[in-house]
Amino acid sequence: MTEVIGLGETDGVNTEHTFFGHPRGLVILFFTEMWERFSYYGMRGLLIFYLTEHFLFSQERSSIIYGAYTALVYVMTIIGGTLADKYLGSRKAVTFGAILLVFGHMGMAFEGQGSRDILTYNGLDYEISLDARGGDGNQLIISELGTSFISFNEGATQMLIADPANVGLPAAIPVNDYSRRTETEALYLNGLYLSLALIIAGIGFLKANISTIVGALYGFGDARRDSGFTIFYMGINLGAFLASILCGYLGITYGWKYGFGLAGIGMLCGLVVFLKYQSWLEGKADPPNLAKLKEKVLGPIDVELMCYLTGVGIIAISMLMVMNAHLVEQMYVGLLGILIFVFMVAYAFIRCEGVERSRMFAAIYFILAQIPFWALFEQAGTSLNLFTGSLVDRSMMGITIPAPVFQSLNAMFIFMFAPVLAILWIMLAKRNLNPSTPVKFALGVFMAGLGFLALVAGMKVSGESGLTAVYFIFLIYWIHTIGELMVSPVGLSAVTKLAPARAVGMSMGAWFLYSGLSNYLAGVIAATTGAETIGGQLTDAVAAKANYISVYTQVGYIAMGIAVVMFIISPVIKKMMQGAD
């Protein structure tokens, strides 16, 4: 820790506490965000398996629940950010969000017995279960006499009993001769929904606001600003990398509660760090008007309490939306996107003129152009995760790697290749060859499609029933990560530069809203890859693999086709940017 003396905005002398040349507040923001991302990605890698194997939801419904959850995470940042800007200030908002996150992640660790898959044959009930988690489990049938492994014939028309005598059943049972039902512990299922809602609200109050604090640490024109954000984002990826490995391994190998519990402990560490050292922020994240917070709005309820009650409202609404996500008509979600688009276009025509209007239209383009990328990229948590668990040979050096651990590849590749691309853009710029922002965006979307076509090629090489080689999973994550580096930082930067100063907040809100809609669309796409399961495991791997090939081929070519159109119109978009590239 060092102390430097510098000039502030006035002629007075200002004492700034720094750490390796940066405001020391960056240290606590780094670790708070690292632990928050640790908790988020630790839970994220396990969630789809938890839904399909512990609560025995179909793959289709699980994907829709996951899509609704991740969509709401983005959408609620708009409300949390607005309340912080107007009333709470970033420090109070981040603290409240972190507390909600601790309760949410800890709640995920209370798993109960989940659901039981009950098979009825000749008037008797049998339970179907698995002997492991994360796609590695073998299906078991359990009777009063004992247990036996089961499997299905090609086409899944018959259930095959490995040890018929152990369970008092024939060696083969036509699937039409038995019925199935699912018995669920309602208390723990509702606990799951409440925990997800707490996490949604918590991220809504924390995510956008902690980034705002990073910006507030640096004065206008401070040359350290970009470097500070780079360090901060390293914390994000470090948390994601560690969580995917540690939580993924514990959750699959030892039990769901251990993976989710570790994610909760991570968030608790983040909260403790932020509470203990928030004085290091030196008042730069305090409420804009302390007096305003104490104003009464309804009886004894003041503005600050009303903000927190709004968070409770977010929890209630999110819980209802997640638990009923499968009942929501997709056209309503699409209609929301259309209404926001119409509003932004109307704003550009009515409130903007000349160069400002042209740039606003370019900002709208980038806000919309992210949709095909994230819709494919976010398959990582759903369909690609399930595919890796069931249809990939995950053996490496004699060790079978749990499927959620592969989620760490994205963060690892960002560590490795973000500096490479940064240097590449600088080198190309010196030669006047640096691709324009619209071209980089088109490249990102193209690579999202290319990644899936590369995976499909690997699936076809392994034949109809063979497991796909694990290096194709490395390949798709690498291609998608390079695409992400061309879309995410580039798009965020472009929107902040293109939108009028008075509309930056609205434009960033729209960016997050469409990111949320993209995540919902990702869930819809993932649902189309859903296959028949019993006890949470596939009944017909051949048919499931064929469906993955079909869906991934379609979305791959569609994304690449959209990218080609984006390439063609990129000169027009660049011209609309009016030099703000």
Side-chain angles (χ1 to χ4, degrees):
M1 187 79 62
T2 59
E3 190 174 282
V4 298
I5 307 296
L7 294 177
E9 293 182 359
T10 67
D11 291 334
V13 176
N14 175 46
T15 300
E16 182 186 26
H17 298 277
T18 66
F19 185 77
F20 288 100
H22 285 275
R24 64 178 182 172
L26 183 63
V27 177
I28 69 163
L29 298 178
F30 175 96
F31 284 107
T32 302
E33 181 66 351
M34 183 195 78
W35 286 119
E36 186 274 326
R37 290 291 87 183
F38 181 95
S39 65
Y40 178 78
Y41 282 100
M43 188 275 280
R44 174 184 184 261
L46 294 170
L47 182 57
I48 195 70
F49 292 110
Y50 190 57
L51 294 172
T52 56
E53 296 182 6
H54 187 67
F55 285 103
L56 301 179
F57 288 124
S58 67
Q59 292 187 352
E60 293 89 341
R61 185 173 176 185
S62 297
S63 296
I64 293 296
I65 290 173
Y66 181 98
Y69 159 71
T70 52
L72 288 168
V73 160
Y74 281 96
V75 172
M76 294 308 174
T77 59
I78 301 171
I79 299 175
T82 301
L83 291 175
D85 288 344
K86 291 183 176 294
Y87 308 111
L88 285 176
S90 297
R91 178 176 58 81
K92 286 180 177 288
V94 168
T95 302
F96 181 56
I99 292 170
L100 295 178
L101 283 166
V102 169
F103 282 111
H105 284 294
M106 289 300 187
M108 294 290 294
F110 294 91
E111 60 184 76
Q113 296 301 312
S115 298
R116 299 169 64 229
D117 199 342
I118 307 299
L119 181 149
T120 302
Y121 176 73
N122 285 343
L124 297 177
D125 287 343
Y126 304 83
E127 182 178 353
I128 305 295
S129 186
L130 298 176
D131 64 354
R133 289 167 290 274
D136 293 320
N138 297 297
Q139 294 152 326
L140 296 167
I141 188 165
I142 305 169
S143 74
E144 294 180 353
L145 300 176
T147 64
S148 171
F149 287 112
I150 61 172
S151 59
F152 291 83
N153 68 335
E154 185 175 345
T157 59
Q158 289 187 324
M159 177 189 291
L160 308 178
I161 315 296
D163 298 300
N166 282 3
V167 289
L169 289 169
I173 305 174
V175 295
N176 294 327
D177 288 358
Y178 61 78
S179 61
R180 289 170 53 205
R181 69 181 186 276
T182 301
E183 295 180 353
T184 302
E185 288 185 306
L187 174 64
Y188 288 96
L189 179 58
N190 288 326
L192 165 70
Y193 291 136
L194 176 59
S195 297
L196 292 176
L198 284 164
I199 294 170
I200 289 166
I203 294 177
F205 276 90
L206 185 146
K207 183 62 179 168
N209 293 311
I210 198 167
S211 298
T212 300
I213 302 175
V214 176
L217 293 177
Y218 300 91
F220 181 76
D222 193 325
R224 302 171 298 169
R225 184 185 181 91
D226 287 348
S227 175
F229 269 100
T230 299
I231 295 170
F232 177 71
Y233 287 124
M234 289 294 283
I236 292 176
N237 288 294
L238 179 60
F241 177 75
L242 294 175
S244 299
I245 295 174
L246 297 176
C247 296
Y249 175 76
L250 284 178
I252 297 302
T253 305
Y254 295 103
W256 307 114
K257 60 185 176 183
Y258 298 106
F260 291 133
L262 182 59
I265 291 171
M267 191 59 243
L268 181 60
C269 290
L271 175 60
V272 170
V273 168
F274 191 76
L275 289 176
K276 185 174 177 63
Y277 296 103
Q278 58 183 260
S279 61
W280 288 13
L281 301 177
E282 300 176 353
K284 294 179 180 177
D286 286 347
N289 188 338
L290 283 171
K292 180 70 174 179
L293 280 182
K294 301 306 176 185
E295 291 181 4
K296 303 298 182 184
V297 291
L298 185 63
I301 300 175
D302 59 22
V303 171
E304 182 172 3
L305 181 55
M306 182 60 75
C307 289
Y308 299 141
L309 290 175
T310 301
V312 175
I314 291 174
I315 294 168
I317 292 171
S318 298
M319 183 174 176
L320 286 172
M321 293 186 72
V322 170
M323 67 193 304
N324 295 298
H326 61 294
L327 302 177
V328 177
E329 290 288 341
Q330 294 173 15
M331 71 173 185
Y332 293 137
V333 179
L335 181 61
L336 174 62
I338 293 171
L339 290 175
I340 299 300
F341 170 72
V342 171
F343 172 80
M344 289 191 296
V345 170
Y347 181 91
F349 274 116
I350 298 171
R351 299 291 302 277
C352 304
E353 295 180 355
V355 172
E356 196 176 64
R357 178 185 292 171
S358 180
R359 288 179 174 172
M360 186 64 191
F361 278 125
I364 294 171
Y365 167 81
F366 288 116
I367 289 169
L368 296 177
Q370 66 174 310
I371 295 175
F373 178 82
W374 294 120
L376 270 64
F377 180 89
E378 288 299 332
Q379 297 303 309
T382 49
S383 69
L384 186 56
N385 210 2
L386 290 172
F387 172 79
T388 304
S390 299
L391 298 171
V392 172
D393 180 2
R394 291 177 279 109
S395 298
M396 298 176 64
M397 295 181 289
I399 301 172
T400 299
I401 309 298
V405 171
F406 289 93
Q407 302 274 301
S408 66
L409 292 175
N410 174 238
M412 183 185 77
F413 287 140
I414 286 177
F415 279 129
M416 294 171 62
F417 292 98
V420 175
L421 280 184
I423 293 170
L424 177 63
W425 301 144
I426 293 172
M427 292 175 57
L428 290 175
K430 290 179 179 178
R431 295 169 173 78
N432 292 321
L433 296 174
N434 190 21
S436 66
T437 299
V439 170
K440 288 177 182 175
F441 234 72
L443 280 169
V445 173
F446 187 88
M447 297 193 82
L450 179 64
F452 278 109
L453 293 186
L455 179 60
V456 166
M459 294 162 69
K460 290 181 176 179
V461 167
S462 60
E464 286 187 357
S465 58
L467 295 176
T468 302
V470 71
Y471 53 80
F472 283 100
I473 298 300
F474 280 80
L475 180 60
I476 185 174
Y477 275 109
W478 177 74
I479 294 173
H480 280 185
T481 300
I482 300 300
E484 180 190 6
L485 291 171
M486 294 184 183
V487 170
S488 186
V490 171
L492 285 168
S493 175
V495 171
T496 56
K497 288 187 292 186
L498 292 167
R502 64 182 180 279
V504 170
M506 178 193 74
S507 300
M508 288 307 300
W511 173 275
F512 284 118
L513 176 65
Y514 279 98
S515 294
L517 295 180
S518 302
N519 275 263
Y520 181 80
L521 178 58
V524 173
I525 293 172
T528 65
T529 67
E532 180 69 25
T533 60
I534 185 167
Q537 190 60 279
L538 296 175
T539 59
D540 190 345
V542 173
K545 185 175 181 180
N547 190 42
Y548 273 112
I549 290 174
S550 175
V551 173
Y552 283 173
T553 300
Q554 290 179 51
V555 297
Y557 279 123
I558 290 172
M560 293 171 73
I562 292 173
V564 170
V565 174
M566 292 170 67
F567 274 119
I568 293 171
I569 66 174
S570 61
V572 177
I573 304 302
K574 184 178 181 181
K575 184 176 180 181
M576 291 168 62
M577 295 175 72
Q578 299 286 344
D581 193 357

